[in-house]
Amino acid sequence: MRYKVKELAKISGVSVRTLHWYDEIGLLKPAYIGANGYRYYEQEQLLLLQQILFFRELDFKLDDVQQMITSCDFDKIKTLLAHKSNLQLNQDRMSKLIQTIDKTVVHLKGNKMINEHELYEGFDLAKQKEYEQYLVKHHGTIAEDLIAQCNKRTVSWGSQEWKEIKEEGASILQGLSVYIEKGAGPRDEEVQHLIQQHYKMIGRFYDLTKDIYLSLAQLYCEHPGFRKFFEEHSQQLPEFMAEAMRVYIYKDL
Amino acid sequence: MRYKVKELAKISGVSVRTLHWYDEIGLLKPAYIGANGYRYYEQEQLLLLQQILFFRELDFKLDDVQQMITSCDFDKIKTLLAHKSNLQLNQDRMSKLIQTIDKTVVHLKGNKMINEHELYEGFDLAKQKEYEQYLVKHHGTIAEDLIAQCNKRTVSWGSQEWKEIKEEGASILQGLSVYIEKGAGPRDEEVQHLIQQHYKMIGRFYDLTKDIYLSLAQLYCEHPGFRKFFEEHSQQLPEFMAEAMRVYIYKDL
DNA sequence: CTTGACCCTCACGTAACGTAATTATTTATC
DNA sequence: GATAAATAATTACGTTACGTGAGGGTCAAG
């Protein structure tokens, strides 16, 4: 069995350019080159490529990958452990950065006395009733059960918990609108990560199923109250978010 | 007060080239340019530069830094939170990578049946007595106290704990020798991180002070048994590690 | 007036490809 | 067998945030 570039690219999930590049730097040479100048790869190269991709995924530089695949198991272990400690360093740095961001956000909020009401008015309890009626009208008894469950859970929440969940919600929506401005798509990884947070957050209100989450996506677009709330962050947020939610639900299939 | 490039570079801790670059991309223009073509910065630019460096440290791309310093607090918060979720994504990835590395290491070890004795013989209990006598001879009663403390603590350790600490120790030494091969210096961040791990590990045996740790550095170089053990990883490991240990102790001063 | 420290502007190198542009070859269809 | 579509090749520029010289002016001190 021999593969041409495109074929090997497809089964290994890399681009043709990557194979060209790996050839150029001597990381993965073709088994042989035809009289037409074409690169032909064999089973052996496929296996080697998989090794390469494995180490690449671990954030090794290609130079180091080169070393790895040619070194013995003992040296591999040494290098892996050294690399691990590097990753841990990075992790520590991330933690510190996140802390710094949190502090900065608090500082900025305190500085400008951002009006909580303005930021979070979507959680207004008065509007809650309206939403519930809408839900019942459009989704029947299932919605009633959810509302009951939601009420049962939230009565025990203190103002601290409400504040947390409000902040988290606002953070998610703000994040999404930033990505919209940047021209990101609903299936981009960063967006999906935010949607995952959203999914988990909603799960604190009631037991969430895929169907219910899809209904929510619909609700956010259709219900004027929700629409307005979302549109305050970004004009395209309702559709964008609904699409991202659908992607999130269907992506595992 | 006006600064020329080198002066601003020194007080802000960046390179001259960086200032040139920031000028070129319009991120930080000089206050004015002299007839000689020199860049002159004022207090205002210094403050701006500090802002820039703050966001740069948070791993923002310079494009985004540009946005940040020109946007209002509200938008800053949005962007910061979006960035935070990015960092969290990265953190998650790191965790997974580290797990994968651990699994791979276990797999490689199992595969090649690496001889534990060969890897960890430095922890041989028989040799322990020899070390202790050497310590007492060269460091007197302080060493005796340490040995007593060490014995008191370690009697309660099970084989699991011994194994853990052996693995950690081996991992550190292997990591160090990899860096030596790469031509790293004793004060490099990665090396210092490993030394920190080493410091903490030793701290599990007895209460560690700076003086004692410095004595250890000496011991590793002088005592033939230790030397031999370290030299099995790398010929230069004893001196390299001792120097790194001294750097670690003195770096806070 | 020289010397050294400093300034300037190119301009190439980095890592790992992405993205054309242009040309040649194979494959599929008629 | 001719033509078109797909795929191959090479070449080369773009990306990030600078590092590192090269070659050549400017300024303060001795």
Side-chain angles (χ1 to χ4, degrees):
Chain A
M1 189 62 184
R2 62 175 210 183
Y3 311 98
K4 281 181 282 185
V5 270
K6 185 86 181 283
E7 295 162 356
L8 182 59
K10 192 171 283 178
I11 53 181
S12 63
V14 302
S15 72
V16 172
R17 179 69 175 94
T18 299
L19 292 176
H20 283 174
W21 177 246
Y22 288 174
D23 183 8
E24 195 177 332
I25 63 173
L27 184 55
L28 182 72
K29 293 277 186 192
Y32 59 96
I33 293 187
N36 48 19
Y38 284 19
R39 296 172 176 82
Y40 291 103
Y41 298 88
E42 296 284 351
Q43 196 68 19
E44 191 187 336
Q45 279 71 42
L46 199 164
L47 294 174
L48 188 53
L49 178 55
Q50 284 169 345
Q51 292 265 328
I52 291 169
L53 296 181
F54 174 72
F55 291 121
R56 191 186 65 164
E57 274 191 30
L58 290 177
D59 264 11
F60 279 98
K61 284 190 291 182
L62 292 190
D63 280 358
D64 296 334
V65 171
Q66 181 87 277
Q67 299 281 348
M68 281 305 259
I69 55 180
T70 58
S71 64
C72 67
D73 281 5
F74 185 77
D75 287 339
K76 276 183 188 164
I77 292 176
K78 291 210 303 190
T79 310
L80 279 169
L81 292 177
H83 190 61
K84 174 180 166 184
S85 111
N86 253 347
L87 293 178
Q88 285 171 331
L89 260 184
N90 252 316
Q91 241 186 349
D92 293 350
R93 236 189 91 241
M94 296 285 163
S95 300
K96 282 178 198 157
L97 296 189
I98 288 173
Q99 281 179 29
T100 306
I101 288 182
D102 284 338
K103 278 184 208 160
T104 308
V105 168
V106 167
H107 179 247
L108 287 174
K109 277 186 180 168
N111 235 10
K112 281 291 178 179
M113 305 263 269
I114 282 186
N115 185 345
E116 285 218 348
H117 184 65
E118 184 187 325
L119 255 169
Y120 307 125
E121 71 178 358
F123 282 87
D124 184 339
L125 282 181
K127 289 185 179 166
Q128 198 67 27
K129 284 288 161 201
E130 191 197 338
Y131 297 153
E132 290 174 2
Q133 291 184 353
Y134 183 93
L135 271 172
V136 174
K137 201 169 5 171
H138 289 255
H139 297 272
T141 48
I142 307 168
E144 279 179 341
D145 291 349
L146 290 185
I147 293 166
Q149 198 182 121
C150 181
N151 286 335
K152 213 183 282 179
R153 285 202 199 169
T154 52
V155 282
S156 66
W157 289 0
S159 70
Q160 181 55 36
E161 272 153 312
W162 276 110
K163 201 180 163 204
E164 268 178 35
I165 218 160
K166 282 174 177 176
E167 296 219 349
E168 199 186 337
S171 151
I172 292 169
L173 297 183
Q174 288 173 1
L176 285 173
S177 50
V178 167
Y179 287 127
I180 290 176
E181 280 172 26
K182 279 194 172 181
R187 37 191 88 237
D188 288 5
E189 190 187 10
E190 297 92 342
V191 171
Q192 285 298 308
H193 181 238
L194 286 172
I195 293 297
Q196 185 184 28
Q197 282 182 221
H198 178 253
Y199 188 94
K200 285 183 185 162
M201 191 196 81
I202 299 296
R204 294 176 63 176
F205 289 97
Y206 41 78
D207 290 334
L208 200 40
T209 67
K210 293 184 176 185
D211 284 340
I212 294 173
Y213 199 60
L214 289 172
S215 298
L216 262 187
Q218 200 186 336
L219 176 70
Y220 291 168
C221 287
E222 288 177 358
H223 186 277
F226 274 110
R227 273 205 79 91
K228 194 178 156 222
F229 173 55
F230 288 128
E231 282 173 346
E232 275 170 18
H233 285 88
S234 158
Q235 197 63 31
Q236 311 125 323
L237 185 52
E239 277 74 22
F240 183 89
M241 185 163 174
E243 179 60 20
M245 287 165 74
R246 282 189 283 270
V247 168
Y248 180 73
I249 292 301
Y250 289 127
K251 74 165 191 287
D252 299 326
L253 307 182
Chain B
M1 188 62 184
R2 62 175 209 182
Y3 311 97
K4 282 181 281 188
V5 268
K6 185 80 181 286
E7 294 162 357
L8 182 58
K10 191 172 284 180
I11 53 181
S12 62
V14 303
S15 71
V16 171
R17 178 69 174 97
T18 299
L19 292 176
H20 283 175
W21 176 245
Y22 288 173
D23 183 8
E24 193 177 334
I25 64 173
L27 184 55
L28 181 73
K29 294 277 188 191
Y32 59 96
I33 292 187
N36 47 19
Y38 285 18
R39 295 172 176 82
Y40 291 104
Y41 298 89
E42 296 282 351
Q43 195 67 22
E44 191 187 336
Q45 280 71 40
L46 200 164
L47 294 174
L48 189 51
L49 178 54
Q50 283 168 348
Q51 292 265 328
I52 291 169
L53 296 181
F54 174 73
F55 290 120
R56 190 186 67 163
E57 275 191 28
L58 291 177
D59 264 11
F60 279 98
K61 283 189 293 181
L62 291 190
D63 280 358
D64 296 334
V65 171
Q66 183 86 277
Q67 299 282 349
M68 282 304 260
I69 55 180
T70 58
S71 65
C72 68
D73 281 3
F74 185 77
D75 287 339
K76 276 183 189 164
I77 292 176
K78 291 210 301 189
T79 310
L80 279 170
L81 292 176
H83 190 60
K84 174 181 164 182
S85 110
N86 253 347
L87 293 178
Q88 285 171 332
L89 261 184
N90 252 313
Q91 241 185 348
D92 294 349
R93 238 189 89 242
M94 296 285 162
S95 300
K96 282 178 198 156
L97 295 189
I98 288 173
Q99 281 178 28
T100 306
I101 287 182
D102 284 338
K103 278 184 208 159
T104 308
V105 168
V106 167
H107 179 249
L108 286 175
K109 278 187 181 169
N111 235 12
K112 280 292 175 178
M113 304 262 270
I114 280 187
N115 184 344
E116 286 217 346
H117 185 65
E118 185 187 324
L119 255 169
Y120 308 126
E121 71 176 0
F123 282 87
D124 184 337
L125 282 181
K127 289 185 180 166
Q128 197 68 26
K129 284 290 162 200
E130 192 199 338
Y131 298 152
E132 289 174 3
Q133 291 184 351
Y134 183 93
L135 272 171
V136 174
K137 200 166 11 167
H138 289 254
H139 298 273
T141 48
I142 307 169
E144 280 179 342
D145 290 350
L146 290 185
I147 292 168
Q149 201 182 118
C150 180
N151 286 336
K152 213 182 283 180
R153 285 201 199 169
T154 52
V155 283
S156 66
W157 289 1
S159 71
Q160 181 56 35
E161 272 152 312
W162 277 109
K163 200 180 163 203
E164 268 177 37
I165 217 160
K166 281 174 179 177
E167 295 218 349
E168 199 185 338
S171 149
I172 292 170
L173 296 184
Q174 288 172 2
L176 285 173
S177 52
V178 167
Y179 287 128
I180 289 176
E181 279 172 27
K182 279 193 172 181
R187 37 192 88 236
D188 288 4
E189 191 187 10
E190 298 90 344
V191 171
Q192 286 297 308
H193 181 238
L194 286 172
I195 294 295
Q196 185 184 30
Q197 281 182 224
H198 178 254
Y199 188 94
K200 284 182 186 161
M201 192 196 80
I202 298 295
R204 293 176 64 178
F205 288 97
Y206 41 77
D207 290 334
L208 200 42
T209 66
K210 293 183 176 184
D211 284 339
I212 294 173
Y213 199 60
L214 289 173
S215 298
L216 261 188
Q218 200 186 335
L219 177 69
Y220 290 168
C221 287
E222 289 178 358
H223 186 277
F226 273 110
R227 273 205 80 90
K228 194 179 156 224
F229 174 55
F230 288 129
E231 282 173 346
E232 274 169 18
H233 285 89
S234 159
Q235 197 64 31
Q236 309 123 319
L237 185 53
E239 277 73 22
F240 184 89
M241 185 163 177
E243 180 59 21
M245 287 166 75
R246 282 189 282 270
V247 168
Y248 180 73
I249 292 302
Y250 290 127
K251 73 166 193 289
D252 300 326
L253 306 183

